[in-house]
Amino acid sequence: GAVTSKYKPADVTNWEGLLFPDTYQFEEGATAQLILQTMASKMDDVLDDLGYDKAESLQGRSAYQLITIASLIEKETGAPPEERGMISRVISNRLDEDETLGIDASVLYGLGRSSGELTRSDLDTETPYNTRLVKGLPPTPISLVGEASLAAAISPAEGEWRYYVLTSNDPPTHFFTDSYDEFLDARDDARD
């Protein structure tokens, strides 16, 4: 309770996603409380500047839900900057349709891993972060979140997309579609 943020719900104990990733300079001997409060206050300032204090009226979701969406964007996004807004739109569209999100980065987080291939056993493991099995958002953000992902979460690109597939690793880029059949074709092509 010594570190505070106006965007941290009272029932949340996890600070994931609520500390702004940046370069900070502190005097030698700075306390952990001072360091964490500085990071939390910076995040509050960034969120205020982006309009998160009006999240409900702008997006129909709480600021904390949008921070969670931004963390998913942060972990899923590719190199082209416009993909952040497109991934944000996919997440919003799927939430609006009450579909599972199917975001592998969240599944990995629930397994206590940050990367790696997912096995069938991993995908079948029941955790609150398994967005292949559980509808809706994970209970908390899954990563630190940069300003670009926060901006994309509160202001997603316009589009009907509901699916995306990583099609290139260098640079990381995705194929976006609203067609499940096109998604399956792109997924199969990416695996080959």
Side-chain angles (χ1 to χ4, degrees):
V3 177
T4 61
S5 165
K6 70 183 196 179
Y7 292 100
K8 182 176 171 286
D11 61 333
V12 171
T13 58
N14 184 338
W15 279 89
E16 190 81 72
L18 295 166
L19 305 173
F20 193 74
D22 204 353
T23 301
Y24 298 91
Q25 293 190 11
F26 296 97
E27 297 289 326
E28 190 172 331
T31 65
Q33 179 181 339
L34 172 67
I35 293 168
L36 292 172
Q37 186 60 64
T38 300
M39 296 172 75
S41 295
K42 172 70 175 184
M43 179 60 99
D44 282 358
D45 291 344
V46 169
L47 293 171
D48 285 346
D49 289 346
L50 292 170
Y52 271 67
D53 55 330
K54 300 176 213 65
E56 286 283 350
S57 62
L58 291 173
Q59 285 297 322
R61 302 189 205 291
S62 72
Y64 191 70
Q65 288 173 318
L66 291 178
I67 294 166
T68 302
I69 290 171
S71 75
L72 297 170
I73 296 165
E74 189 74 31
K75 294 298 282 185
E76 286 285 294
T77 201
E82 66 274 7
E83 284 196 357
R84 291 180 195 275
M86 295 169 78
I87 289 173
S88 180
R89 176 53 61 197
V90 169
I91 292 168
S92 292
N93 288 344
R94 292 180 70 85
L95 288 171
D96 291 346
E97 293 297 321
D98 196 33
E99 298 173 346
T100 58
L101 297 178
I103 295 179
D104 291 347
S106 185
V107 176
L108 285 165
Y109 184 88
L111 296 170
R113 300 183 352 228
S114 60
S115 63
E117 295 292 319
L118 288 167
T119 65
R120 174 55 46 204
S121 174
D122 292 336
L123 296 175
D124 291 339
T125 300
E126 293 185 26
T127 76
Y129 294 89
N130 190 335
T131 57
R132 297 243 185 152
L133 300 176
V134 180
K135 289 182 181 180
L137 291 170
T140 68
I142 64 167
S143 69
L144 294 175
V145 186
E147 190 167 355
S149 293
L150 290 165
I154 199 159
S155 185
E158 290 299 320
E160 299 297 319
W161 313 290
R162 289 183 32 232
Y163 310 98
Y164 59 91
V165 176
L166 181 67
T167 55
S168 171
N169 285 316
D170 190 23
T173 53
H174 296 85
F175 168 76
F176 292 83
T177 184
D178 64 345
S179 162
Y180 186 67
D181 289 337
E182 283 184 6
F183 161 73
L184 291 176
D185 290 343
R187 183 198 65 189
D188 292 345
D189 288 346
R191 288 180 176 167
D192 291 341

